[in-house]
C-alpha cells in the first residue's frame, strides 16, 4: 500500500520544463535564466518535478548541483535546416505540427510528459512547440526606441515583431518585468492576440546570483582603478547613452568638479564614438574603460564605487540598479518607462536626454555624503522587499495559477 501511495504521489506531480539556450557570455540573459532555474529548484518537491532542457553542456554542472534532472536537446544539423526552412516559409500552425514530428525538443517534451515549459528569454522556439509555454519578455524597445539601429534596424525589427506577435498569440502565460512592461505588451499586441490581458503577469527582475552569493562576505579588494569614482556597467551600445554622461562630466569639470568614471562592458556600435568623445572633451585622466570583467570584479567595482550612474534610454527596467541596491552602492538612473516603479525612493532620477540633469545628479552624489547614506539605506530596503525569496514565491503562485 505504501509503495502504491508513493507511486500515486509521484504521478500527481506537475512536470515543468525549462528551456536553457543561453551561455555564460550572454550576460544578463544568462543570469536571468540562472535566477529562474534556482527558483524552480526551490519549489515544493512534492508538487513539482523540474526538468531542464539544455542546449549546452555548461548547464549540466549547475542543474546537477541544484538537483534538477537534465535532458540534452540540441538540434542536429539536418533537423536545424528543416526547422529553419519551415520557420521562414510556412505559417506557424503548420510549423508547430511539423515540429512535433521533426524537432528533437518537441519529441522530448512529449516523451517527458511536460505540463508546461518555461522559456526565460522569449526564444522563438517557444511558439513552435505545442506544449503550453510560459515565456518571459524582457522588453519591446524595438517599438519604443526607433532611433537606435541596434534595436530597431529593419531586419531586427522584423525578427522581433514576428517573435513577439506569435508569443502573444500562443504563450499560455507571459512574464514581464513591470506594470509598464505589461502595458506595453498590450499596446503593441493586444489587438492581435485573444485574451492577452489575462495572460500577462509582472515578475520583476532580481539581482544576479553572483551578487547574492557575495552577501555576508567581506568586501572584495578594491580594484586597480581610481580612488574615487562613479560606475557605469553597460555594453557600449548607442542606446546606453555613454555620450551624454561624458558631456555631463565635462560640464562639471568646467565648474571645478572633477568626477572620475569607470565603465565596464564590451565594445559595440557606440564604442568608437565614446573613445573619440573622451579625447575631444579632454577627459582622458578621468575615464577608465575596463571592457569585460568577471563576476567578482563586478561586485568589487560596485562595493567601492561612489555611485552607480546609469543614463540608459532602454527599459522598461534594468538590472544594474538592483545589483547596486544589494551591494550598498547609491544610484542615479534614467527616470523613464518602468524605472521609477522599479527603484521607488532608492535612486535619483534624471532625464537621460538632459545633460544638465545628469550633471546635477552626479554632482549631488559626488559631494553629499548624507544623500549617499540615505540612498544606500533605501536601496537595502528595496532589495529586502524584492529578492530571491519573493521572486520564488511569486513564481510559485503563478505556476499554481497556470
Amino acid at each position: 500500500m505504501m509503495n502504491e501511495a508513493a507511486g500515486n504521489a509521484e504521478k500527481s506531480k506537475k512536470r515543468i520544463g525549462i528551456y536553457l539556450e543561453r551561455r555564460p557570455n550572454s550576460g544578463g540573459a544568462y543570469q536571468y535564466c540562472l535566477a529562474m532555474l534556482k527558483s524552480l529548484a526551490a519549489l515544493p518537491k512534492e508538487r513539482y518535478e523540474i526538468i531542464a532542457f539544455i542546449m549546452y553542456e555548461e548547464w549540466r554542472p549547475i542543474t546537477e548541483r541544484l538537483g534538477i534532472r537534465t535532458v540534452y536537446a540540441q538540434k542536429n544539423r539536418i533537423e536545424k535546416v528543416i526547422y529553419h526552412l519551415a520557420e521562414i516559409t510556412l505559417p506557424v500552425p503548420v510549423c508547430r505540427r511539423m515540429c512535433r514530428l521533426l524537432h528533437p525538443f518537441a519529441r522530448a517534451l512529449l516523451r517527458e510528459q511536460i505540463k508546461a515549459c518555461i522559456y526565460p528569454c522569449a526564444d522563438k522556439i517557444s511558439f513552435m512547440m505545442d506544449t503550453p509555454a510560459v515565456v518571459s519578455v524582457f522588453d519591446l524597445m524595438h517599438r519604443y526606441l526607433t532611433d537606435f539601429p541596434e534595436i530597431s534596424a529593419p531586419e531586427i525589427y522584423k525578427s522581433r515583431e514576428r517573435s513577439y506577435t506569435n508569443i502573444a498569440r500562443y504563450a499560455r502565460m507571459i512574464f514581464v518585468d513591470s506594470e509598464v512592461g505589461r502595458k506595453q505588451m498590450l499596446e503593441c499586441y493586444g489587438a492581435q492576440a485573444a485574451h492577452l490581458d489575462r495572460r500577462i503577469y509582472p515578475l520583476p527582475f532580481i539581482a544576479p546570483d553572483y551578487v547574492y552569493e557575495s552577501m555576508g562576505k567581506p568586501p572584495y579588494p578594491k580594484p586597480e582603478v581610481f580612488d574615487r569614482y562613479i560606475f557605469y556597467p553597460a555594453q557600449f551600445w548607442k542606446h546606453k547613452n555613454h555620450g551624454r554622461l561624458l558631456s555631463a562630466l565635462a560640464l562639471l569639470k568646467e565648474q571645478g568638479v572633477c568626477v572620475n568614471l569607470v565603465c565596464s562592458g564590451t565594445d559595440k556600435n557606440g564604442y568608437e564614438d565614446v573613445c573619440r568623445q573622451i579625447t575631444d572633451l579632454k577627459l582622458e585622466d578621468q575615464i577608465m574603460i575596463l571592457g569585460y570583467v568577471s563576476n567578482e570584479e563586478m561586485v568589487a567595482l560596485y562595493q567601492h564605487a561612489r555611485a552607480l550612474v546609469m543614463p540608459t534610454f532602454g527599459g522598461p527596467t534594468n538590472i544594474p540598479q538592483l545589483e547596486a541596491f544589494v551591494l550598498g552602492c547609491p544610484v542615479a538612473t534614467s527616470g523613464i518607462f518602468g524605472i521609477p516603479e522599479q527603484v521607488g525612493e532608492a535612486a535619483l532620477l534624471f532625464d537621460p536626454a538632459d545633460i544638465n540633469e545628469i550633471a546635477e545628479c552626479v554632482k549631488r552624489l559626488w559631494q553629499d555624503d548624507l544623500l549617499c547614506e540615505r540612498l544606500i539605506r533605501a536601496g537595502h530596503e528595496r532589495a529586502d522587499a524584492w529578492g530571491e525569496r519573493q521572486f520564488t514565491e511569486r513564481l510559485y503562485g503563478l505556476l499554481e495559477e497556470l
Side-chain angles (χ1 to χ4, degrees), residues 51-55 60 69-74 108 111-112:
I51 300 175
F53 296 90
I54 64 172
M55 307 300 116
R60 197 175 295 276
R69 188 155 67 84
T70 303
V71 175
Y72 190 62
Q74 191 176 39
R111 183 177 65 249
E112 298 293 342

Side-chain angles (χ1 to χ4, degrees), residues 73-377:
Q74 191 176 39
K75 302 183 287 288
N76 64 36
R77 290 183 179 181
I78 295 175
E79 290 163 330
K80 184 182 281 190
V81 169
I82 293 173
Y83 173 54
H84 179 67
L85 289 174
E87 180 190 6
I88 63 176
T89 59
L90 296 175
V92 171
V94 176
C95 294
R96 285 164 65 90
R97 289 194 293 272
M98 289 183 64
C99 282
R100 174 184 276 264
L101 300 174
L102 299 173
H103 202 289
F105 177 50
R107 295 199 297 269
L109 290 171
L110 292 171
R111 183 177 65 249
E112 298 293 342
Q113 298 180 320
I114 300 299
K115 297 296 184 185
C117 189
I118 296 174
Y119 301 84
C121 296
D123 295 284
K124 60 188 176 183
I125 199 172
S126 66
F127 58 83
M128 307 300 289
M129 303 292 111
D130 57 6
T131 297
V134 178
V135 186
S136 295
V137 173
F138 294 160
D139 69 82
L140 305 175
M141 289 298 105
H142 67 291
R143 285 284 194 104
Y144 296 92
L145 297 182
T146 56
D147 293 335
F148 298 99
E150 69 270 23
I151 293 175
S152 58
E155 65 278 7
I156 296 173
Y157 187 96
K158 182 179 179 181
S159 175
R160 287 172 67 100
E161 274 297 287
R162 184 178 191 276
S163 289
Y164 293 135
T165 299
N166 284 302
I167 286 170
R169 287 172 177 166
Y170 291 102
R172 188 68 61 87
M173 184 174 276
I174 298 171
F175 295 157
V176 293
D177 65 339
S178 60
E179 288 293 341
V180 171
R182 184 178 191 278
K183 178 183 176 183
Q184 290 180 346
M185 194 76 191
L186 288 171
E187 284 177 347
C188 294
Y189 305 109
Q192 305 171 50
H195 308 300
L196 183 60
D197 60 320
R198 304 178 194 172
R199 296 183 282 119
I200 307 174
Y201 297 84
L203 181 66
F205 297 141
I206 57 173
D209 185 57
Y210 66 84
V211 172
Y212 288 108
E213 287 181 349
S214 70
M215 295 176 65
K217 299 178 181 178
Y220 288 110
K222 187 177 183 301
E224 294 183 3
V225 292
F226 304 109
D227 289 336
R228 200 163 184 256
Y229 62 92
I230 61 172
F231 183 40
Y232 186 21
Q235 297 185 51
F236 285 84
W237 295 111
K238 289 185 177 181
H239 73 275
K240 295 298 184 180
N241 199 29
H242 291 79
R244 285 182 177 82
L245 178 56
L246 294 175
S247 296
L249 297 186
L251 180 61
L252 291 174
K253 187 174 183 179
E254 292 175 2
Q255 301 172 8
V257 182
C258 290
V259 178
N260 301 316
L261 169 65
V262 173
C263 296
S264 68
T266 53
D267 58 325
K268 298 296 182 181
N269 68 344
Y271 181 76
E272 292 184 3
D273 288 344
V274 168
C275 293
R276 186 162 43 248
Q277 189 175 2
I278 291 171
T279 302
D280 292 344
L281 296 174
K282 297 181 172 55
L283 293 175
E284 295 94 335
D285 294 338
Q286 295 174 234
I287 313 297
M288 292 184 68
I289 297 176
L290 303 181
Y292 174 82
V293 299
S294 67
N295 292 343
E296 291 77 12
E297 290 172 309
M298 183 72 80
V299 169
L301 287 164
Y302 276 115
Q303 289 174 330
H304 296 278
R306 178 66 176 184
L308 166 73
V309 180
M310 187 165 182
T312 180
F313 282 112
T317 64
N318 291 283
I319 291 177
Q321 43 260 42
L322 304 178
E323 298 172 327
F325 291 163
V326 174
L327 295 170
C329 179
V331 175
T333 186
S334 304
I336 56 174
F337 299 122
I339 295 176
E341 169 193 339
Q342 181 185 34
V343 302
E345 300 297 320
L348 300 183
L349 297 175
F350 52 72
D351 178 353
D354 191 324
I355 293 168
N356 289 303
E357 280 194 29
I358 298 172
E360 180 61 26
C361 286
V362 171
K363 183 178 180 180
R364 290 178 64 194
L365 291 171
W366 195 250
Q367 295 181 337
D368 192 336
D369 293 342
L370 292 178
L371 171 63
C372 289
E373 290 172 7
R374 178 180 70 77
L375 290 175
I376 289 171
R377 288 194 301 271

